[in-house]
Amino acid sequence: MKPVKHVIAHVIALDVGGTGMKAALIAGDGTLLHQARRATDRERGPEAVVETILDFAAELLELGRERFGTAASAAGVAVPGIVDADRGIAVYAANLGWRDVPLRERLSTRLGGIPVSLGHDVRTGGLAEGRIGAGRGADRFLFVPLGTGIAGAIGIAGRIEAGAHGYAGEIGHIVVRPGGPACGCGQHGCLETLASAAAVSRAWAAACGDPGADAADCAEAVESGDDRARAVWHTAIGALADGLVTAITLLDPRTLIIGGGLAEAGETLFTPLRAAVGERVTFQRLPEIVPAALGDTAGCLGAGLLAWDLLATEVPA
Ligand SMILES: [Zn+2]
């Protein structure tokens, strides 16, 4: 046995994505004690992905015991798709082939009975952005990552609103251009078909004639004054502002946190976006529109918060 200098209480945080999963051991003050990544290997099938998660978590439990003198007290897991957080079930995840996976129970069993919290990836990332990231201190916020698609997390008084069926916040499927491009959800003209990083990449690739050009290239061309890029950018920002104003009208958030690949364009995005939203509101109060602060670690940090919340609310037996 190696001597242990300090015993550090911690939790396991896991963020499961379609291609990779991120994990961390996080102390009560938010310190990241250990970080690791692993491939999701979804080609091996839905059950193999679950097994990978269980093995990964069990290794982290052991690593914590060896390195920090005690095993993790709880675990938080963020997963994509539709999540029933109350029952701890991953209801549906198209990219992982999951249907009704009782992930909370399986993890807790594998981890010797410690409490486990299951969350939706975007809502979990939003929890972290709202509490310890760009929205720190905001009682009401909306987190909107602009990536392959567009999702959303509605923050109210330190919690994320999941809705009655786990679909709350799906701002990417607000129809902003009726009869517009076909969306994977079955509608036409959804916000994410026009203003996601993927949509901007497609539009810019078509406009500049380079099939490999993406949204970051488009932002660069906007900065260097390319008129074609400016037109693509303007179209996307107009659609985005329309979608955001719908959300502002419904939710009256104090802070609007924009993340994902498109937000990496910085002020090239934020300056015209603030102006476009400002032009569209009438009676609504303008929220502060800020870039996300935690990048792709938001989901993992949020999973850690879920785990710590569990310990804070747990009634001792
Ligand atoms: Zn849609």
Side-chain angles (χ1 to χ4, degrees):
M1 280 277 291
K2 276 182 265 174
V4 174
K5 285 182 195 158
H6 306 286
V7 172
I8 306 173
H10 60 271
V11 296
I12 294 170
L14 264 166
D15 179 17
V16 179
T19 52
M21 46 185 97
K22 303 180 197 78
L25 296 180
I26 304 177
D29 62 359
T31 305
L32 284 171
L33 300 170
H34 174 76
Q35 282 178 278
R37 284 176 188 252
R38 187 160 295 183
T40 300
D41 268 346
R42 59 182 167 175
E43 298 77 15
R44 290 171 49 229
E47 177 54 26
V49 172
V50 174
E51 290 294 337
T52 303
I53 294 169
L54 300 183
D55 290 346
F56 199 9
E59 285 168 32
L60 290 162
L61 190 79
E62 196 46 46
L63 185 140
R65 205 191 315 266
E66 280 172 15
R67 248 188 237 180
F68 306 110
T70 181
S73 322
V77 195
V79 298
I82 308 299
V83 176
D84 185 335
D86 291 340
R87 289 162 59 226
I89 293 173
V91 177
Y92 177 69
N95 57 352
L96 301 177
W98 283 356
R99 260 185 199 285
D100 296 320
V101 179
L103 200 54
R104 180 173 69 195
E105 194 191 327
R106 292 191 61 182
L107 257 171
S108 183
T109 303
R110 183 65 182 270
L111 298 176
I114 65 170
V116 174
S117 186
L118 186 68
H120 173 261
D121 54 0
V122 174
R123 287 198 284 275
T124 304
L127 178 70
E129 284 290 352
R131 221 187 271 178
I132 59 175
R136 193 196 289 249
D139 52 348
R140 282 177 161 73
F141 67 89
L142 178 66
F143 169 55
V144 182
L146 310 171
T148 310
I150 297 181
I154 301 164
I156 300 171
R159 303 256 154 217
I160 302 291
E161 173 58 43
H165 311 94
Y167 294 94
E170 291 290 356
I171 186 175
H173 300 287
I174 287 178
V175 174
V176 292
R177 299 289 178 264
C183 180
C185 77
Q187 259 294 358
H188 285 80
C190 291
L191 178 59
E192 76 171 34
T193 67
L194 296 146
S196 61
V200 173
S201 294
R202 277 195 304 273
W204 175 233
C208 74
D210 173 2
D214 65 11
D217 300 323
C218 185
E220 241 175 70
V222 168
E223 284 153 26
S224 62
D226 185 300
D227 284 338
R228 294 167 309 171
R230 282 183 168 177
V232 167
W233 205 245
H234 182 77
T235 300
I237 286 175
L240 183 56
D242 284 337
L244 291 176
V245 168
T246 299
I248 291 167
T249 307
L250 276 176
L251 301 170
D252 185 22
R254 199 172 305 281
T255 309
L256 199 49
I257 305 165
I258 309 290
L262 209 57
E264 282 163 27
E267 285 308 310
T268 303
L269 175 72
F270 283 90
T271 301
L273 180 61
R274 289 186 191 106
V277 172
E279 282 163 17
R280 283 163 171 80
V281 296
T282 54
F283 66 91
Q284 303 93 331
R285 294 287 296 270
L286 266 183
E288 203 184 345
I289 301 178
V290 298
L294 303 174
D296 73 348
T297 60
C300 196
L301 293 170
L305 293 175
L306 287 179
W308 279 110
D309 282 359
L310 219 43
L311 297 170
T313 55
E314 208 175 309
V315 182

